[in-house]
């Protein structure tokens, strides 16, 4: 699987690709992946990463709310091409097909993968429960005892969402999110699954679906959506590029935070050869 920056077709996409190249390389080669030596280590990672899976869904729904009609009475709002792109991505991310039949959001699929791997889902489920009851985001993160490395990452995402500018939300969504899980991580999970049959099957499916959708469909859709929303306006293009860079740098900080937690936790976690 080639995880180099996707091929570009026009000057704007080329300029974004150049602007994010160094941060993208830093993420794809991050030392965190090499630290994940056992299923227990992977569980620590997942207990943090699940919050990124959740706020990825929030970025997507923010785009759907702003770029399509999500209220009654229905009105033909926005550009029809953008509506189609958003709704196509929502279909896959919010209600993807399952290998056993039925459908699920990728967030719910990730929770299932966590349970299989022995990861603790209590904090993220408490966080979701608090949001359902109407608690403000920052308070819900605090009261649910979300991992410290997660809090600034999620708050950064919601600063973009609450700013409400679709081209910036789309850029953060397209260039800074789940297509950055590299092949080495997938290979790591395959190796661990061979040692612990059945514990990582759902995670493998989740990763495979993201590689398939982000590489073959959603990545290109996202880049097209960003371009359409910028409307060849130089200021919007600058803002979208800045949002992409900021999203990548926030992800680097999250990865660094998880790596620090994992390093300190390894002494108490069993090591398996």
């Amino acid at each position: 699987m080639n995880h180099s920056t996707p091929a570009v077709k026009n000057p704007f996409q080329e300029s974004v690709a150049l602007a994010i190249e160094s941060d993208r390389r830093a993420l794809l080669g991050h030392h965190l992946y090499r630290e994940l030596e056992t299923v227990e280590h992977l569980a620590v990672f997942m207990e943090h990463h699940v919050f990124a899976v959740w706020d990825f869904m929030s970025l997507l729904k923010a785009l759907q709310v702003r770029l399509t009609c999500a209220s009654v009475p229905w009105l033909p709002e926005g550009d029809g091409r953008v509506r189609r792109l958003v709704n196509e991505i929502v279909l896959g991310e919010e209600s993807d097909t399952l290998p056993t039949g039925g459908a699920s959001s990728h967030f719910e699929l990730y929770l299932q993968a966590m349970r299989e791997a022995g990861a603790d889902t209590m904090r993220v489920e408490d966080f979701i429960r608090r949001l359902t009851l109407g608690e403000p985001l920052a308070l819900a993160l605090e009261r649910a005892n979300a991992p410290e490395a997660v809090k600034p990452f999620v708050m950064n995402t919601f600063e973009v969402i609450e700013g409400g500018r679709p081209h910036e939300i789309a850029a953060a969504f397209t260039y800074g999110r789940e297509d950055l899980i590299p092949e080495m991580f997938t290979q790591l999970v395959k190796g661990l699954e061979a040692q612990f049959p059945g514990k990582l099957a759902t995670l493998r499916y989740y990763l495979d679906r993201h590689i398939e959708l982000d590489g073959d469909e959603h990545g290109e859709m996202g880049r097209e959506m960003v371009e359409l929303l910028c409307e060849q306006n130089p200021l919007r293009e600058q803002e979208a590029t800045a949002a992409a860079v900021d999203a990548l740098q926030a992800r680097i900080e999250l990865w660094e935070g998880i790596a620090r937690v994992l390093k300190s936790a390894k002494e108490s976690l069993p090591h398996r050869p």
Side-chain angles (χ1 to χ4, degrees):
M1 179 72 63
N2 180 5
H3 283 277
S4 60
T5 302
V8 294
K9 300 179 181 180
N10 58 55
F12 170 58
Q13 289 189 19
E14 183 175 11
S15 70
V16 176
L18 288 172
I20 68 175
E21 181 63 24
S22 62
D23 288 327
R24 185 179 175 85
R25 287 187 181 276
L27 279 163
L28 295 181
H30 200 280
H31 66 93
L32 172 62
Y33 304 110
R34 296 187 293 275
E35 302 295 330
L36 302 173
E37 300 169 339
T38 70
V39 171
E40 290 82 7
H41 301 161
L42 185 62
V44 172
F45 172 83
M46 295 178 78
E47 288 162 14
H48 288 72
H49 181 237
V50 65
F51 287 88
V53 176
W54 171 79
D55 76 357
F56 171 81
M57 298 298 300
S58 298
L59 275 171
L60 177 57
K61 297 304 286 187
L63 286 170
Q64 189 178 41
V65 167
R66 286 163 175 77
L67 299 174
T68 74
C69 184
S71 61
V72 177
W74 179 86
L75 298 170
E77 296 180 6
D79 185 305
R81 295 169 297 175
V82 173
R83 290 198 301 265
R84 182 173 181 85
L85 289 170
V86 172
N87 287 330
E88 286 278 358
I89 297 172
V90 169
L91 176 64
E93 298 289 348
E94 193 174 37
S95 52
D96 200 8
T97 55
L98 295 174
T100 55
S104 170
S105 72
H106 284 181
F107 172 74
E108 291 163 304
L109 188 64
Y110 200 87
L111 286 179
Q112 180 181 336
M114 290 179 68
R115 295 181 188 110
E116 283 183 5
D120 187 354
T121 63
M122 288 182 62
R123 285 186 293 183
V124 71
E125 290 179 313
D126 186 33
F127 171 65
I128 294 298
R129 181 184 65 81
R130 291 178 181 280
L131 291 178
T132 301
L133 294 173
E135 282 192 13
L137 177 68
L139 186 61
L141 284 168
E142 190 66 33
R143 288 183 172 174
N145 195 29
E148 287 302 316
V150 161
K151 295 174 185 176
F153 181 83
V154 172
M155 296 307 295
N156 177 273
T157 298
F158 273 79
E159 285 179 13
V160 177
I161 290 173
E162 289 165 5
R165 297 198 283 191
H167 58 288
E168 293 177 319
I169 299 172
F173 174 86
T174 297
Y175 292 102
R177 304 310 300 231
E178 303 307 296
D179 66 320
L180 293 165
I181 296 177
E183 176 69 11
M184 64 184 297
F185 184 48
T186 305
Q187 292 301 323
L188 165 76
V189 172
K190 288 179 181 178
L192 289 174
E193 186 183 21
Q195 297 179 53
F196 307 99
K199 291 181 71 70
L200 301 179
T202 301
L203 180 59
R204 273 281 309 282
Y205 181 77
Y206 170 89
L207 292 170
D208 288 344
R209 285 298 289 157
H210 264 285
I211 289 171
E212 178 183 354
L213 291 173
D214 292 331
D216 298 337
E217 300 175 26
H218 293 179
E220 183 56 38
M221 288 179 181
R223 289 188 289 275
E224 183 181 355
M225 178 167 55
V226 175
E227 186 175 0
L228 288 170
L229 291 171
C230 285
E231 298 180 327
Q232 297 184 320
N233 180 309
L235 178 58
R236 285 191 181 185
E237 290 179 352
Q238 291 175 13
E239 291 170 342
T241 301
V245 170
D246 187 58
L248 287 167
Q249 291 177 349
R251 176 59 68 97
I252 291 172
E253 288 299 314
L254 176 61
W255 261 211
E256 290 289 340
I258 299 173
R260 287 192 295 270
V261 171
L262 190 57
K263 181 179 179 181
S264 65
K266 275 189 173 183
E267 294 181 0
S268 61
L269 288 172
H271 177 75
R272 301 178 188 271

